[in-house]
């Protein structure tokens, strides 16, 4: 079973609300389905999906609270969860880093991950600093090598326990 898409409030004025679904940006089929399901809700006048921005614009005659409550227990709630808060910058960056990590794993058939690539890049930069041969480059080379070995050491540790964000 796939997780529900998270729809975050991007903008709201009376009768007009925009939600962003960042995980489904570029997915016209999914966004059109969300729009179709939202259109059937009481108080919804019109819905426009924009796959390029991953957003849904809802024109409605009910309050925002009533609109959100109207999604509960419907077929819209089966595929998307609507929240009034946006993900934090840290959460968005983490999601992007995770996506890069997954892409590296997929591209290399699981032989490498982001941690390994960054570690190798740091070692390469340390070697480059040493090859340059100037006495002022030794300290950066040692620092780069230390960061590389620290990343490699941490790769063997279990990941920290992540907590789920609270959504309204």
């Amino acid at each position: 079973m796939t997780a529900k898409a998270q729809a975050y409030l991007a903008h709201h004025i009376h009768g007009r609300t925009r939600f962003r679904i960042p995980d489904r940006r570029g997915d016209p089929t999914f966004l059109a389905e969300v729009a179709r399901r939202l259109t059937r809700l009481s108080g919804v006048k019109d819905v426009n999906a924009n796959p390029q921005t991953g957003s849904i614009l809802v024109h409605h005659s009910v309050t925002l609270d009533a609109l959100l409550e109207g999604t509960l227990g419907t077929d819209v709630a089966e595929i998307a969860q609507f929240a009034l808060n946006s993900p934090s910058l840290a959460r968005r960056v983490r999601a992007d880093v995770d996506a890069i990590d997954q892409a590296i794993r997929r591209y290399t058939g699981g032989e490498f991950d982001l941690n390994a690539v960054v570690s190798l890049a740091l070692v390469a930069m340390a070697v480059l600093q040493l090859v340059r041969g100037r006495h002022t480059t030794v300290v950066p080379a040692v620092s780069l090598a230390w960061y590389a070995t620290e990343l490699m050491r941490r790769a063997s540790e279990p990941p920290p326990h992540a907590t789920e964000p609270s959504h309204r």
Side-chain angles (χ1 to χ4, degrees), residues 1 61 74 103:
M1 179 177 154
S61 61
T74 67

Side-chain angles (χ1 to χ4, degrees), residues 72-99:
L72 300 175
T74 67
D75 61 348
V76 177
E78 293 173 2
I79 61 173
Q81 179 177 347
F82 291 82
L84 292 178
N85 58 339
S86 295
S88 67
L89 176 60
R91 190 171 310 286
R92 291 189 308 243
V93 169
R94 181 66 192 168
D96 289 343
V97 168
D98 287 344

Side-chain angles (χ1 to χ4, degrees), residues 85-154:
N85 58 339
S86 295
S88 67
L89 176 60
R91 190 171 310 286
R92 291 189 308 243
V93 169
R94 181 66 192 168
D96 289 343
V97 168
D98 287 344
I100 292 168
D101 184 47
Q102 290 302 315
I104 291 170
R105 289 172 191 258
R106 192 172 41 254
Y107 182 75
T108 64
E111 292 292 320
F112 289 98
D113 60 4
L114 182 59
N115 191 39
V117 170
V118 171
S119 296
L120 290 172
L122 288 171
V123 168
M125 288 189 296
V127 169
L128 179 64
Q129 291 290 325
L130 290 173
V131 169
R132 286 185 175 173
R134 288 183 248 148
H135 70 291
T136 58
T137 61
V138 173
V139 172
V142 170
S143 295
L144 289 168
W146 183 85
Y147 286 126
T149 56
E150 184 65 14
L151 273 174
M152 288 181 233
R153 183 189 67 78
R154 288 185 182 186

